[in-house]
Amino acid sequence: MGVLALQGAFAEHLAALEKLGAEARPVRLLADLPGLEGLIIPGGESTTMARLLAALELYDQVKGLARDGMPMWGTCAGLILLAKNAIGLREANLGVMDVAVRRNAYGRQVDSFEADLEVPALGPPPFRAVFIRSPRIEAVGAGVEVLACRPGGEPVAVRQGQLLGTTFHPELTPDLRFHQLFLRQGKKRAARAKGKGQPEPRGRHDR
Ligand code: GLN
């Protein structure tokens, strides 16, 4: 599993993956991409990350991998990078997930808060979510599944095929269930790709 490590909360994601026994590595260069089962795009500052993606010539490759079906999970600023419509971001983003998000939409006075989320895909107990100057998901496309909403409010965790997005930071709390969910997606896809790429099993008498 790769964690985009240009800026932001990448170390915490790497630590969470390691706690789960997953093989994980930071991604900073094109050479770090081959062989990954998935990629986490962490929280941080979306403008800076978008600029670095372009400056380091990672932009086209990462976008191509997302389009080819690589599991990717954007947390907070990471989701801003994945969104097709990132309102308030002036840089080009990856634009692969059919959601509209507005940067810094919760305003300064409430720019950080926590909430207990019911997440049916994870089961009980509720997931304690930490929001730090997070974006707000304002619209989701037809193919996007809402995994969790803020109590009485808008979606905060979404999934579209192999793409996962959370406006909060699961890497900052000890609950590793979102990381487990994402790892399972990566494993499923890797198994499918392996099945496709291998020749038919040979019969017992084949030489
Ligand atoms: N406010 C940040 C941005 O717009 C996102 C905050 C975060 O990732 N915690 O890029």
Side-chain angles (χ1 to χ4, degrees):
M1 191 58 64
V3 180
L4 192 68
L6 307 179
Q7 190 266 337
F10 57 86
E12 292 82 351
H13 273 298
L14 286 166
L17 292 171
E18 270 152 31
K19 266 191 214 144
L20 289 169
E23 223 183 291
R25 65 170 184 248
V27 171
R28 298 193 174 91
L29 303 167
L30 277 175
D32 297 324
L33 288 171
L36 292 179
E37 274 179 17
L39 181 69
I40 295 180
I41 307 181
E45 215 285 314
S46 49
T47 306
T48 310
M49 259 194 274
R51 284 187 188 151
L52 287 170
L53 267 179
L56 296 166
E57 294 177 7
L58 283 163
Y59 177 87
D60 289 337
Q61 280 284 335
V62 173
K63 187 168 175 148
L65 289 169
R67 285 195 167 151
D68 288 348
M70 179 188 274
M72 291 194 191
W73 173 20
T75 55
C76 204
L79 174 60
I80 298 173
L81 289 184
L82 289 178
K84 279 200 175 148
N85 186 1
I87 303 156
L89 180 73
R90 290 204 193 94
E91 308 299 316
N93 72 342
L94 297 166
V96 287
M97 196 172 190
D98 197 9
V99 292
V101 302
R102 185 179 296 276
R103 286 184 70 202
N104 302 328
Y106 294 104
R108 279 182 184 279
Q109 70 282 23
V110 281
D111 51 21
S112 297
F113 56 92
E114 295 188 14
D116 286 321
L117 306 177
E118 301 287 345
V119 190
L122 301 181
F127 191 93
R128 185 83 183 153
V130 177
F131 296 82
I132 304 170
R133 262 208 121 191
S134 69
R136 179 181 230 140
I137 299 176
E138 295 198 336
V140 297
V144 177
E145 187 188 349
V146 173
L147 298 181
C149 287
R150 219 154 67 90
E154 62 286 326
V156 290
V158 285
R159 179 163 62 188
Q160 180 179 18
Q162 88 288 3
L163 301 174
L164 184 64
T166 54
T167 63
F168 52 91
H169 286 264
E171 78 286 6
L172 299 182
T173 46
D175 191 335
L176 298 173
R177 287 178 293 161
F178 267 99
H179 288 84
Q180 279 168 327
L181 181 81
F182 185 61
L183 284 172
R184 276 201 300 275
Q185 275 179 222
K187 290 270 165 282
K188 260 195 231 154
R189 182 183 184 251
R192 271 203 308 273
K194 214 173 167 190
K196 267 192 215 147
Q198 265 171 17
E200 292 294 305
R202 284 163 159 246
R204 223 197 307 168
H205 302 293
D206 288 350
R207 286 283 134 92

